Amino acid sequence: MKIAIRYFTKTGNTKKLAEAISEVVKVPALNAKDNPITEDIDILFLGSSVMATKLRRQVKDYINTFDTKIGLVVNFSIGGLIESTYKPVRKLIQNRGYKMAPEEFHSIGQMWKFNKGHPNKEEIKAAKAFSKSILKKYSTVEK
Ligand SMILES: Cc1cc2nc3c(=O)[nH]c(=O)nc-3n(C[C@H](O)[C@H](O)[C@H](O)COP(=O)(O)O)c2cc1C
């Protein structure tokens, strides 16, 4: 089973979630900016954050570069508020003909002086548990 992790981050918070997932799925968490998807993948964990109420343009541009087989995309995100990036990412993924997992992981993240220390230990632990449950559920996902 081929798994990949890519994330977009402005201040490093999404990277923290990506690294937590990486510990569980045992593949490196890579910054999407410098790491295009160049091979077929069974499960892609894709991380992003909410910026100025929406998904960053880079995420859309990145998804538009996909041209290999990707069995399933799993969204993880972080934001100053409760709203995640799931819906806009799902729209982009499905528009490209890829499959989006209905499950997602979202955490509150530090935003300037607000939400200090987030993602915190509990949220990192929850991100690990989430990735474990995804592996368990989709370990036989078809390409
Ligand atoms: C310039 C800026 C704009 C932001 N706008 C929003 C927003 O509209 N809604 C929200 O929920 N969080 C917003 N946030 C909070 C970020 O989503 C939060 O800080 C997150 O942890 C950033 O993750 P990243 O550093 O991995 O990109 C904003 C943060 C910054 C720095």
Side-chain angles (χ1 to χ4, degrees):
M1 155 138 314
K2 179 87 188 161
I3 300 176
I5 305 169
R6 298 288 188 277
Y7 63 86
F8 290 86
T9 189
K10 184 95 177 161
T11 68
N13 287 331
T14 312
K15 184 180 180 192
K16 290 179 187 164
L17 297 184
E19 285 172 347
I21 294 169
S22 169
E23 267 189 46
V24 172
V25 305
K26 314 274 186 235
V27 299
L30 302 179
N31 194 324
K33 193 163 56 81
D34 310 314
N35 293 281
I37 301 292
T38 54
E39 56 187 342
D40 292 352
I41 293 167
D42 297 302
I43 301 177
L44 171 63
F45 286 89
L46 187 60
S48 52
S49 59
V50 185
M51 284 283 153
T53 74
K54 45 187 191 222
L55 192 65
R56 292 165 72 196
R57 173 79 204 193
Q58 289 100 309
V59 184
K60 182 179 182 186
D61 293 345
Y62 190 70
I63 290 171
N64 281 336
T65 67
F66 292 175
D67 67 351
T68 59
K69 283 185 187 166
I70 301 173
L72 184 71
V73 177
V74 179
N75 196 68
F76 63 98
S77 74
I78 195 155
L81 306 168
I82 208 76
E83 187 82 21
S84 81
T85 60
Y86 182 80
K87 281 185 189 163
V89 171
R90 181 180 62 187
K91 192 171 174 201
L92 294 166
I93 290 298
Q94 291 181 340
N95 282 350
R96 291 293 326 279
Y98 293 105
K99 194 171 156 199
M100 184 81 174
E103 301 85 1
E104 62 160 328
F105 184 80
H106 178 69
S107 166
I108 294 293
Q110 183 161 339
M111 174 168 64
W112 305 295
K113 62 182 175 149
F114 304 103
N115 305 334
K116 268 217 167 112
H118 290 272
N120 61 22
K121 269 188 191 161
E122 284 72 37
E123 288 149 350
I124 293 296
K125 204 172 150 191
K128 289 181 185 175
F130 170 77
S131 42
K132 227 176 251 176
S133 71
I134 290 292
L135 284 191
K136 195 170 171 208
K137 179 167 181 189
Y138 294 107
S139 57
T140 56
V141 73
E142 302 223 347
K143 275 190 219 169

